[in-house]
Amino acid sequence: MNHKFSFNKKALRRMTDFVLHREEAAEEAPVAAQPALRVYALTDVGKVRAANQDALVVDEGMRLYGVADGMGGHNGGETASAGARDGLLAALAGKEPSMTALQDGIKQVNGDLFRQQAEDERLSGMGTTLSVLWMSEHFAYIGHVGDSRVYLFREDKLEQMTDDHSLVGELVRAGFLTPEQAENHPNKNVILRAVGTEEGIDVDLAVEERRAGDVWMVCSDGLHGMVPDSQMEAILRAHKPENAAKMLLDAALDAGGRDNISVVLLADGEVAG
């Protein structure tokens, strides 16, 4: 299988230095305090759906945060998203953040959900998106499958850090659709990759250096499918994270709330040097 690994140059340099010198640093440096990280997580059923099939991944002890957006009928969608959340937390328990551990954990969750739906016809066809951030002392590790999204708000600019594994997303990347055309495309909800739908899975992985002042956002398509990036950026620019989370959710409801809405905001403080 092919996997996407993404590094910026500074992050790669810091990671290389850490690997080469970690034993020496452990002997000479005092134990650093953990960076401050404020977390604001909200989910809402929306105005149309009968049930909320989103599951928030929030474990402050593990520093693992994200969103799973289930699909496959009432029982299937809720089972898939909750299973992805609980399965990933169990798979990563006691481990240090790394791309290898994150990839292995998501692949393990995928296999478990696939076997579950194969053994229970009531769950046939279930699956879920899964987009998570796993925070180490200096880095944010991203694991992603589906069309939920991870964003980074840095220096007043909002950047999408993940690719949508959707038909419309592929058409945009291939140049057949503009982002503006994609927003109202009739097939915008056709997902090409999800956790639990096939025996094997490709996981997009990335790492980014943490910086004081960053705001990370993980959200389901109930938010980014209803609220343009430009509006989300304006909300994050004008409001503190503790207020912005509710304002983002309210903006999706005001736009129609046609799907479940989930958002996790992480406001990053000073990182230990």
Side-chain angles (χ1 to χ4, degrees):
M1 297 181 190
N2 296 320
H3 301 280
K4 177 183 176 184
F5 294 84
S6 174
F7 303 84
N8 66 28
K9 292 181 180 179
K10 189 173 181 182
L12 182 58
R13 194 163 55 244
R14 288 284 295 273
M15 289 186 72
T16 302
D17 182 71
F18 174 77
V19 170
L20 292 177
H21 302 291
R22 60 182 176 177
E23 292 184 0
E24 178 182 347
E27 293 176 358
E28 297 180 359
V31 176
Q34 286 292 309
L37 190 66
R38 292 171 290 138
V39 183
Y40 309 96
L42 296 172
T43 188
D44 193 280
V45 69
K47 293 185 175 181
V48 175
R49 304 288 188 182
N52 193 344
Q53 297 184 343
D54 287 357
L56 295 175
V57 182
V58 178
D59 190 301
E60 299 200 50
M62 294 176 62
R63 295 200 164 201
L64 183 70
Y65 310 96
V67 169
D69 180 356
M71 62 196 77
H74 177 72
N75 291 330
E78 291 185 0
T79 300
S81 60
R85 175 197 63 208
D86 298 342
L88 189 61
L89 289 171
L92 299 183
K95 298 181 179 178
E96 293 297 319
S98 73
M99 288 199 295
T100 298
L102 186 53
Q103 174 180 264
D104 290 347
I106 294 175
K107 291 174 72 173
Q108 179 178 325
V109 167
N110 178 77
D112 290 344
L113 291 180
F114 181 76
R115 286 187 291 274
Q116 187 177 3
Q117 67 144 316
E119 295 168 359
D120 187 343
E121 64 179 13
R122 294 171 300 175
L123 303 176
S124 179
M126 78 172 181
T128 183
T129 72
L130 184 59
S131 299
V132 295
L133 286 163
W134 197 10
M135 312 299 278
S136 74
E137 184 178 342
H138 293 288
F139 299 98
Y141 295 90
I142 301 170
H144 168 68
V145 180
D147 70 342
S148 295
R149 290 180 180 175
V150 176
Y151 288 90
L152 174 58
F153 182 69
R154 174 178 285 172
E155 297 178 352
D156 283 343
K157 298 292 183 182
L158 184 66
E159 179 182 0
Q160 183 180 334
M161 305 297 286
T162 52
D163 291 331
D164 295 343
H165 299 143
S166 63
L167 176 60
V168 167
E170 290 294 334
L171 292 174
V172 170
R173 287 188 288 276
F176 294 111
L177 290 176
T178 67
E180 292 73 24
Q181 291 171 326
E183 289 181 3
N184 297 305
H185 196 280
N187 294 321
K188 65 181 298 183
N189 294 323
V190 176
I191 305 301
L192 301 182
R193 197 190 311 177
V195 176
T197 58
E198 297 182 15
E199 188 171 6
I201 194 169
D202 289 340
V203 182
D204 283 2
L205 299 161
V207 61
E208 178 70 28
E209 187 176 28
R210 293 174 60 180
R211 295 185 190 175
D214 285 349
V215 178
W216 290 90
M217 178 170 69
V218 191
C219 66
S220 63
D221 66 336
L223 175 57
H224 71 73
M226 302 299 298
V227 183
D229 284 10
S230 58
Q231 185 178 352
M232 291 193 289
E233 182 180 84
I235 290 172
L236 290 167
R237 185 181 295 124
H239 301 279
K240 294 181 179 180
E242 53 265 40
N243 299 321
K246 181 64 164 56
M247 296 188 71
L248 288 163
L249 189 148
D250 287 344
L253 291 171
D254 291 343
R258 293 193 296 270
D259 201 349
N260 305 147
I261 308 157
S262 293
V263 58
V264 181
L265 290 186
L266 308 177
D268 218 337
E270 292 291 339
V271 177

